[in-house]
Amino acid sequence: MTYSEISHHRLVSQQLDQSSTLSPQEIVQHLGAMQAQDYAMAKWAVGSRCQSTEREIEEAVNSGKIIRTHILRPTWHLVAAADIYWMLDISGPQVQKIIFPAAVKYGLDQKKLDTFNSSLQKILAGNNHLTREEIMQELNIKKTSSLDFMTAVIMMNAELSGVVCNGKMKGRQITYALLEERVSKPKTRLTQEEGLAKLMQRYFESRGPATLADFSKWSGFSSTVCNSIINAITLQLNYITIDNQQYWFKKDHTKTLSSRESVHFLAGFDEFLISYKNREASLPIEHQQKVFTNNGIFKPTILENGQVIGTWKRTIKKDHVKIETLFFNAIKISKKEMLFKGIKSFENYLETKIVIE
């Protein structure tokens, strides 16, 4: 299997090979977790894989069918409501260890963090959805630039503890709500080993072919932990060996690779790139610095037949959305016109006019 074939297989695995009939929450559940610190781009990452509009995806988030919270690595993710508790069980304690040194820096020991969690349960009880600023006012923590990260640590710890998650949007502001009031707790819980095996299988089935190193990078679990878990799910997966590396993928992944031309305008931080440690299957090394920065910012990309050929950005205007493109190599006007047809799905998703400049 060549890099090009790996990339095409990933298009299929990630529900990008054709417009899916899955609902927004089913797309999120298929992928397990989708990086979401850029909320607008996270919604488009879902929308580019199904036929839902931005309004419909935001409604799925506002209604609690999709949860936006910190769960894998110290960053925001979208997670299906059905998966939130077992994922928190396995990943929450690990990420809390990562953020704890930052908490200590601001004088927050575990006892103080637990006290804040108890206060949040009282403040947000009764489906009270509040912004972070409103919550800090209730906690009598004054807003200052020096304390901004401290408040982020307080809320992140509460998310990882399973106390809070996203609430309904207030205009363009995010809110927090009690997780148990949005999603009922399950009657049974998975063990750590069962949860990790489930997460790993979900990853390889939705992103394969991929390596254990890819999963380790995406999930935040060490290579030692990953090596101990893969043996539990080998019967549920297939693999191929390339350059002494095992690439795992879905057991019944028998869909014939399409030979048709495909163009995708992918979201910033899209799982098609961010899911992997090695991204050369879709993005040659010489172009990688044009797509993501050293501090972890991933730009929206233009994908042709599984290969990144440029980047794009949107600017919202009064009566339309302006799209600007930057291709890695010079492209003929006739070819650009063909590529720009790929933005039609984004126009349908936004339900507004697109102007390309």
Side-chain angles (χ1 to χ4, degrees):
M1 187 179 290
T2 64
Y3 267 169
S4 177
E5 289 172 325
I6 287 174
S7 185
H8 276 283
H9 276 291
R10 288 174 178 173
L11 283 175
V12 175
S13 298
Q14 292 216 14
Q15 299 291 317
L16 282 166
D17 62 317
Q18 58 187 359
S19 183
S20 172
T21 58
L22 297 178
S23 67
Q25 57 268 30
E26 288 172 331
I27 289 291
V28 176
Q29 187 164 26
H30 170 73
L31 287 160
M34 300 176 70
Q35 195 154 327
Q37 69 267 50
D38 185 328
Y39 183 47
M41 283 288 110
K43 287 184 290 183
W44 171 232
V46 178
S48 61
R49 290 167 166 83
C50 63
Q51 299 172 16
S52 300
T53 64
E54 183 178 33
R55 287 187 301 105
E56 291 168 336
I57 294 167
E58 182 146 318
E59 175 54 32
V61 177
N62 281 336
S63 66
K65 294 175 182 177
I66 297 172
I67 300 298
R68 183 171 180 253
T69 192
H70 287 83
I71 195 163
L72 295 178
R73 312 185 311 276
T75 192
W76 290 97
H77 279 85
L78 298 180
V79 182
D83 293 326
I84 184 64
Y85 283 108
W86 68 264
M87 283 196 187
L88 276 175
D89 282 345
I90 63 170
S91 185
Q94 173 178 267
V95 182
Q96 281 177 313
K97 290 178 182 177
I98 296 173
I99 69 169
F100 191 70
V104 172
K105 180 181 177 181
Y106 289 98
L108 302 175
D109 57 18
Q110 191 59 56
K111 184 177 179 180
K112 288 181 180 179
L113 290 171
D114 291 342
T115 299
F116 279 127
N117 283 350
S118 296
S119 298
L120 288 168
Q121 288 176 323
K122 296 175 184 176
I123 292 168
L124 298 174
N127 286 304
N128 196 18
H129 295 213
L130 299 178
T131 66
R132 191 202 298 180
E133 184 174 346
E134 290 169 336
I135 289 171
M136 293 307 138
Q137 288 175 354
E138 293 287 337
L139 294 174
N140 294 316
I141 298 176
K142 294 182 179 179
K143 181 182 179 182
T144 65
S145 57
S146 62
L147 292 180
D148 189 55
F149 190 71
M150 184 190 82
T151 63
V153 170
I154 290 171
M155 298 311 300
M156 195 183 303
N157 177 72
E159 291 173 283
L160 295 166
S161 300
V163 176
V164 305
C165 63
N166 71 290
K168 296 178 181 178
M169 293 292 290
K170 284 188 178 181
R172 294 185 178 181
Q173 288 187 292
I174 68 166
T175 69
Y176 293 87
L178 292 181
L179 177 58
E180 285 191 48
E181 290 187 343
R182 306 217 83 196
V183 185
S184 299
K185 274 193 171 183
K187 295 180 180 179
T188 59
R189 297 174 65 174
L190 301 179
T191 65
Q192 183 76 357
E193 291 74 19
E194 288 170 339
L196 277 168
K198 185 173 182 175
L199 183 67
M200 184 179 284
Q201 185 172 341
R202 183 82 59 87
Y203 172 86
F204 286 123
E205 289 182 346
S206 64
R207 292 168 174 82
T211 66
L212 272 179
D214 291 327
F215 173 75
S216 176
K217 176 75 172 178
W218 174 80
S219 67
F221 288 96
S222 69
S223 57
T224 301
V225 170
C226 295
N227 280 315
S228 70
I229 295 298
I230 187 66
N231 292 330
I233 60 170
T234 52
L235 295 179
Q236 282 72 51
L237 299 170
N238 277 335
Y239 73 89
I240 55 170
T241 302
I242 304 174
D243 296 331
N244 296 318
Q245 283 269 19
Q246 290 179 330
Y247 285 75
W248 300 87
F249 53 96
K250 190 175 181 180
K251 186 79 171 180
D252 61 349
H253 189 52
T254 56
K255 188 171 182 178
T256 304
L257 291 178
S258 174
S259 59
R260 66 182 177 86
E261 296 288 310
S262 67
V263 177
H264 299 86
F265 281 69
L266 296 182
F269 301 99
D270 194 274
E271 293 293 322
F272 190 75
L273 288 181
I274 211 163
S275 292
Y276 310 99
K277 181 178 182 180
N278 184 339
R279 303 178 177 103
E280 291 182 62
S282 299
L283 181 61
I285 292 177
E286 62 266 26
H287 295 312
Q288 291 189 1
Q289 288 188 337
K290 302 170 187 174
V291 172
F292 54 88
T293 63
N294 291 333
N295 59 346
I297 303 299
F298 279 69
K299 299 176 183 178
T301 54
I302 303 168
L303 200 68
E304 182 186 22
N305 301 327
Q307 300 299 307
V308 179
I309 61 171
T311 60
W312 65 284
K313 66 177 182 179
R314 75 172 188 175
T315 305
I316 298 176
K317 300 292 185 178
K318 186 177 181 179
D319 60 351
H320 69 280
V321 172
K322 181 176 75 171
I323 300 293
E324 297 173 87
T325 58
L326 181 62
F327 294 98
F328 298 154
N329 301 304
I331 294 179
K332 294 180 179 179
I333 294 177
S334 59
K335 177 68 176 293
K336 283 186 178 182
E337 290 176 350
M338 184 276 292
L339 293 171
F340 290 154
K341 291 180 181 179
I343 203 67
K344 183 65 179 178
S345 59
F346 190 54
E347 188 172 60
N348 296 337
Y349 160 83
L350 290 177
E351 300 177 286
T352 192
K353 181 181 179 182
I354 296 288
V355 176
I356 302 174
E357 296 186 359

